[in-house]
Amino acid sequence: MKPIVRSYYNNSDDALLALRTIVLFGNNVSTYKFALTNALLNRNSSSEVKFSELRDDFVKELYFHYSKCPDQWVAGKNSLTEAFDRYKLDSDWETLINVAERNIYNNVFDAFHNVGGSTIQEKDILFEKDSKSKKLFLTDNLNAILENHALKEIIKAENQSRWNVVEEAWKNKLSPNLLEYIDGDFISISKENERVNLRSAVTILFPYQKGKCFYCNKQMNQNTSKVEDDFPDVDHFLPHSYATRIELLGANINGVWNLVISCKECNRGSQGKFNAPAEKTYFEKLLKRNLFFTEEHKHSLKNSVLISLGVKNTFELTSKMNLLYKNTEILVGWKPKTLYDE
Ligand SMILES: [Zn+2]
């Protein structure tokens, strides 16, 4: 296996995009990701790194966080937490490392690029794993960060604060998506059990979509019962796991700009979208729809779209939507398995 050559990013924000997406949008098993991110950021740029060279930093960081917040694993105790508990008593580093190596390594490297129900696109990955030689081959995407001290420090700090947020949420038995760490303070962004009634969106969006699923074009029936396959679901185009980010950028996740009507199968069927972002063509379709709503002078949805996005006009709408989609653009987008006629 040869190291992969990739072109450098044009600006620093782009270089951070993949790592940021992994760190910010990982779900609640991201403990390992945070620790691995940290271990990688302690390295200098190079074409490859042995598993064994990352090991100590990785386990040290995990142990540090486990000591201050034992709720790192949703499933509770496992052989690693037991090894940590023993290490606390006997300080036997070698034994701890042995357990860590047996239990966690491969999974961590394999799952690193997964985000929610999706994964980072091939061209944006940070490393490739070679099990045979027990090495990671680092891509230029990662090396662009490792060569730049300022970038390294930025993403290191973001990684730690996101980890802190998640820990704080676990301690309080909350979903990590409801908290954000801002200027040293934890801010709960949940609207106190606010239950937003989104069903009304069906009445408005259904005719625009000619009664068809936004993704697969399946014909739906507005008067059918919830259990039927042609029941129209209200789907969040950018999923709920992005709520914090979206709200920080001044938009409302439940806003009509982000809602589409989809069939049950696409929304929550066996091959459904769930927490994955949809392919870029669907983003373009949504952008076009929202522009249509706002360009029509008297369209009933004009103000709802603008206000829920936190923008004033169509120009701002386009750049805001592009900004909101940016983090998902490097993920492999979801698309339906079956397409019906438009
Ligand atoms: Zn569908």
XYZ file of all heavy atoms in Angstrom, residues 213-218 262-267 336, ligand 1:
104
model
N -42.870 12.282 -2.840
C -41.742 12.297 -1.909
C -40.613 13.165 -2.463
O -40.266 13.049 -3.645
C -41.257 10.870 -1.676
S -39.698 10.780 -0.763
N -40.042 13.988 -1.609
C -38.977 14.899 -2.028
C -37.775 14.127 -2.591
O -37.076 14.598 -3.470
C -38.513 15.733 -0.822
C -37.482 16.778 -1.142
C -37.849 17.990 -1.713
C -36.137 16.563 -0.862
C -36.901 18.962 -2.011
C -35.175 17.526 -1.150
C -35.567 18.732 -1.727
N -37.557 12.933 -2.101
C -36.360 12.174 -2.487
C -36.604 11.162 -3.607
O -35.874 11.124 -4.575
C -35.776 11.453 -1.267
C -35.421 12.414 -0.157
C -36.213 12.526 0.982
C -34.303 13.240 -0.259
C -35.897 13.415 1.999
C -33.981 14.133 0.749
C -34.780 14.224 1.877
O -34.470 15.108 2.870
N -37.657 10.337 -3.466
C -37.812 9.237 -4.427
C -39.001 9.429 -5.367
O -39.232 8.589 -6.228
C -37.942 7.909 -3.689
S -39.531 7.707 -2.873
N -39.765 10.506 -5.192
C -40.940 10.821 -6.030
C -42.129 9.897 -5.819
O -43.091 9.944 -6.594
C -40.592 10.808 -7.534
C -39.500 11.798 -7.859
O -39.527 12.922 -7.368
N -38.535 11.375 -8.659
N -42.081 9.035 -4.843
C -43.237 8.154 -4.595
C -44.476 9.018 -4.308
O -44.402 9.996 -3.575
C -42.941 7.268 -3.384
C -43.997 6.245 -3.051
C -43.661 5.635 -1.680
C -44.810 4.821 -1.130
N -44.799 3.445 -1.632
N -41.469 13.673 2.916
C -40.874 12.466 2.336
C -41.725 11.253 2.682
O -42.515 11.279 3.624
C -39.450 12.280 2.846
O -39.424 11.412 3.953
N -41.566 10.216 1.906
C -42.308 8.994 2.196
C -41.693 8.339 3.427
O -40.574 8.656 3.825
C -42.311 8.061 0.986
S -40.735 7.252 0.663
N -42.440 7.419 3.993
C -42.007 6.746 5.214
C -40.685 6.002 4.992
O -39.793 6.031 5.821
C -43.092 5.735 5.623
C -43.610 5.949 7.021
C -44.853 5.127 7.263
C -44.539 3.688 7.607
N -45.765 2.914 7.926
N -40.617 5.321 3.847
C -39.430 4.514 3.544
C -38.166 5.400 3.527
O -37.150 5.076 4.128
C -39.619 3.790 2.203
C -38.420 2.985 1.716
C -37.969 1.887 2.676
O -38.829 1.345 3.402
O -36.753 1.609 2.721
N -38.247 6.538 2.836
C -37.077 7.414 2.747
C -36.718 8.004 4.105
O -35.555 8.122 4.451
C -37.322 8.540 1.753
S -37.193 8.005 0.049
N -37.715 8.358 4.867
C -37.451 9.006 6.143
C -36.948 8.035 7.195
O -35.975 8.306 7.893
C -38.720 9.711 6.636
C -38.442 10.632 7.815
O -37.370 11.223 7.902
N -39.385 10.726 8.723
N -32.101 7.598 -2.125
C -33.009 6.451 -2.028
C -32.592 5.336 -2.969
O -31.982 5.585 -4.012
C -34.363 7.028 -2.446
C -34.072 8.292 -3.159
C -32.741 8.785 -2.697
Zn -39.317 8.471 -0.731
